[in-house]
């Protein structure tokens, strides 16, 4: 490496981006292009950064495996910042393996951390945990240690392991302070605030109250039978019954759960669940059919009893019934949860993270835009969607794979 490249690399490591660019701005050799790409990424010019890193990768020869692997890792980090989640992770895994084999442990560990964060966004908690395990017991720089601890805290929070999440945040805070990076310290502080915010609404006996993640963990571990509107299923005695693909039976159970220990009139159920103002015999027959389906789905957990005027839930003796509702309602809630991280998302990335179609995501985005909760910039393939974090709430429970038992 010549003196200008060495000076640019030292400036980038110290956070002096403008000095680094001044040393390599007019050069087009692959090492200079790679450094320019990293500098542009630090300035927030992510699309230009990715273009420069790809040019650098092409410029390096096939025998320059180490340099190419570093370009792959840098581009993967830019893609993560752009929320470009499409494509395979094979190239990044291969780069991590190549870096480890060629005695570049720092960049190899960075690659595994990027993989863990990417899989976390996709709701693939097992793969994220396995990738993060590559960093355990290794010597990490303070910045890398802080990001690894933040990722560990996010994984624990998604699994409602709050003691582990709090301990990981304490580790992240200490590492961020040691790094001296203000933005990293602010990210740790924001994560800590998010864990303390209300995450769900509990309804039982007609009363409603807000719960943070620790209270949600306590509720799900209790003997209480919980009709979970965040993940659309039923918890009872540590057992989980998913109703995510059965919206009508779940809507009936939620309506009955909100009225427990009382019952709900048939016509009221028809109006609330089927959204029909005037019920007739055909609608009541349809209600009986769906009540039968709901009974079969929660057999062994709950009973649905017929009353003179409607239906009511009957739990085991001494067992309470509670409804856990998301902090925000509506079909667009999960999209809002992903947008709440403040990053710019493409429609395709949102669909990939949620495991749904782009058309469904587009409908939700239009609804969020109409209500002022989301905004778009760019057009066509460059269009990205943004939203400010929801003040006062955390939407962790609405994210993919966010509860134990999934």
């Amino acid at each position: 490496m010549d003196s200008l490249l060495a000076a640019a690399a030292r400036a980038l490591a110290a956070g002096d981006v403008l000095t680094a660019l001044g040393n390599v701005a007019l050069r087009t050799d692959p090492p200079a292009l790679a450094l320019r790409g990293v500098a542009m990424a630090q300035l927030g010019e992510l699309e230009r950064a990715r273009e420069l890193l790809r040019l650098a990768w092409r410029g390096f020869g096939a025998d320059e495996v180490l340099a190419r692997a570093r370009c792959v890792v840098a581009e993967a980090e830019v893609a993560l910042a752009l929320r470009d989640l499409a494509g395979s992770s094979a190239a990044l895994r291969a780069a991590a393996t190549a870096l480890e084999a060629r005695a570049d442990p720092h960049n190899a560990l960075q690659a595994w951390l990027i993989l863990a964060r990417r899989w976390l966004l996709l709701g693939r908690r097992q793969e994220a945990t396995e990738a993060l395990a590559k960093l355990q017991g290794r010597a990490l720089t303070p910045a890398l240690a802080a990001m690894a601890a933040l990722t560990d805290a996010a994984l624990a929070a998604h699994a409602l392991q709050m003691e582990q999440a709090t301990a990981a945040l304490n580790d992240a805070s200490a590492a961020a302070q040691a790094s001296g990076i203000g933005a990293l310290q602010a990210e740790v502080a924001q994560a800590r605030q998010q864990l303390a915010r209300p995450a769900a609404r509990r309804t039982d006996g007609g009363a409603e109250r807000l719960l943070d993640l620790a209270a949600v963990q306590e509720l799900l571990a209790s003997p209480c039978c919980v009709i979970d509107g965040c993940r659309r299923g039923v918890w009872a005695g540590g057992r989980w019954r998913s109703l995510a693909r059965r919206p009508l039976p779940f809507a009936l159970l939620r309506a009955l759960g909100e009225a427990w220990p009382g019952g709900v009139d048939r016509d009221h159920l028809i109006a609330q669940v089927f959204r029909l103002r005037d019920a007739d015999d055909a609608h009541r027959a349809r209600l009986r059919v769906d009540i039968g389906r709901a009974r079969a789905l929660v057999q062994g957990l709950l009973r649905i009893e017929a009353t003179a005027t409607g239906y009511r839930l009957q739990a085991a003796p001494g067992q309470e019934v509670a409804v856990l509702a998301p902090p925000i309602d509506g079909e667009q809630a999960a999209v809002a949860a992903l947008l709440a991280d403040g990053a710019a998302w493409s429609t395709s990335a949102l669909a990939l993270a949620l495991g749904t179609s782009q058309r469904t995501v587009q409908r939700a985005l239009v609804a969020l835009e109409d209500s002022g909760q989301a905004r778009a910039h760019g057009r066509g393939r460059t269009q990205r969607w943004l939203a400010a974090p929801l003040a006062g709430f955390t939407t962790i429970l609405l994210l993919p794979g966010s509860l134990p038992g999934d």
Side-chain angles (χ1 to χ4, degrees):
M1 182 180 291
D2 60 43
S3 59
L4 285 177
L5 289 176
R10 286 194 299 270
L12 278 178
D16 189 353
V17 181
L18 296 181
T19 297
L21 283 175
N23 286 323
V24 295
L26 300 179
R27 295 177 54 164
T28 58
D29 53 304
L33 288 173
L35 288 173
R36 284 169 59 192
V38 174
M40 295 305 288
Q42 292 187 18
L43 290 174
E45 298 291 336
L46 300 177
E47 292 289 357
R48 178 58 177 159
R50 181 153 62 174
E51 180 183 345
L52 288 168
L53 289 167
R54 287 176 176 175
L55 287 172
W57 183 87
R58 296 189 193 102
F60 286 117
D63 57 335
E64 296 177 281
V65 177
L66 189 61
R68 280 192 159 195
R70 289 170 177 168
C71 288
V72 170
V73 174
E75 186 184 342
E77 189 161 19
V78 171
L80 185 67
L82 285 169
R83 293 300 185 262
D84 183 357
L85 306 178
S88 171
S89 300
L92 187 54
R93 293 177 66 94
T97 303
L99 290 165
E100 286 177 340
R102 287 163 177 79
D104 188 356
H106 175 77
N107 284 308
L109 294 174
Q110 179 75 10
W112 288 116
L113 179 57
I114 294 169
L115 276 169
R117 293 166 62 197
R118 180 179 187 274
W119 279 325
L120 179 60
L121 283 175
L122 291 172
R124 296 168 60 179
R125 207 165 61 225
Q126 182 61 38
E127 291 93 332
T129 301
E130 291 172 358
L132 194 60
K134 300 284 187 179
L135 283 75
Q136 300 300 320
R138 306 291 293 272
L140 305 177
T141 64
L144 200 60
M147 287 306 304
L150 272 175
T151 307
D152 189 23
L155 280 166
H158 286 189
L160 289 181
Q161 298 169 348
M162 301 313 299
E163 291 184 2
Q164 182 180 337
T166 301
L169 277 179
N170 291 336
D171 293 341
S173 180
Q177 291 292 334
S179 73
I181 301 174
L184 195 52
Q185 295 167 14
E187 188 171 352
V188 175
Q190 183 181 4
R192 194 183 297 279
Q193 292 172 4
Q194 187 180 30
L195 290 190
R197 292 174 184 161
R201 295 173 288 133
R202 175 181 175 175
T203 303
D204 52 0
E208 183 176 281
R209 57 185 181 272
L210 295 173
L211 304 180
D212 61 15
L213 287 171
V216 172
Q217 178 186 13
E218 183 179 349
L219 174 63
L220 297 183
S222 73
C224 184
C225 181
V226 181
I227 300 171
D228 187 350
C230 298
R231 297 299 293 183
R232 294 183 177 269
V234 178
W235 295 87
R239 291 179 293 170
W240 166 248
R241 193 75 52 83
S242 176
L243 301 177
R245 298 183 182 274
R246 307 301 296 269
L248 276 177
F250 178 78
L252 288 169
L253 285 169
R254 177 170 174 176
L256 293 170
E258 289 173 347
W260 184 88
V264 184
D265 182 79
R266 289 179 177 84
D267 289 346
H268 183 74
L269 272 176
I270 290 170
Q272 184 175 349
V273 176
F274 299 153
R275 302 189 185 278
L276 296 171
R277 184 173 301 175
D278 299 316
D280 57 23
D281 290 341
H283 302 138
R284 295 186 185 94
R286 179 186 175 191
L287 176 63
R288 287 194 298 272
V289 170
D290 282 310
I291 286 289
R293 290 171 176 164
R295 282 190 177 118
L297 289 169
V298 296
Q299 187 175 8
L301 302 181
L302 278 172
R303 295 199 309 274
I304 302 176
E305 295 182 343
T307 66
T309 59
Y311 299 92
R312 68 178 179 185
L313 288 181
Q314 183 66 45
Q319 186 179 51
E320 295 183 350
V321 176
V323 173
L324 195 65
I328 52 176
D329 282 317
E331 295 181 353
Q332 64 271 23
V335 176
L338 288 174
L339 291 178
D341 66 358
W345 287 77
S346 67
T347 304
S348 60
L350 288 168
L352 186 61
L354 294 173
T356 188
S357 68
Q358 290 194 46
R359 187 175 295 276
T360 300
V361 170
Q362 287 165 352
R363 286 197 300 266
L365 288 170
V366 169
L368 289 171
E369 186 176 31
D370 290 342
S371 62
Q373 298 180 63
R375 68 186 190 278
H377 67 82
R379 296 179 64 86
R381 295 174 63 87
T382 63
Q383 188 179 56
R384 294 294 184 272
W385 290 86
L386 290 158
L390 295 173
F393 289 101
T394 176
T395 50
I396 281 180
L397 297 185
L398 299 175
L399 295 173
S402 60
L403 289 183
D406 288 352

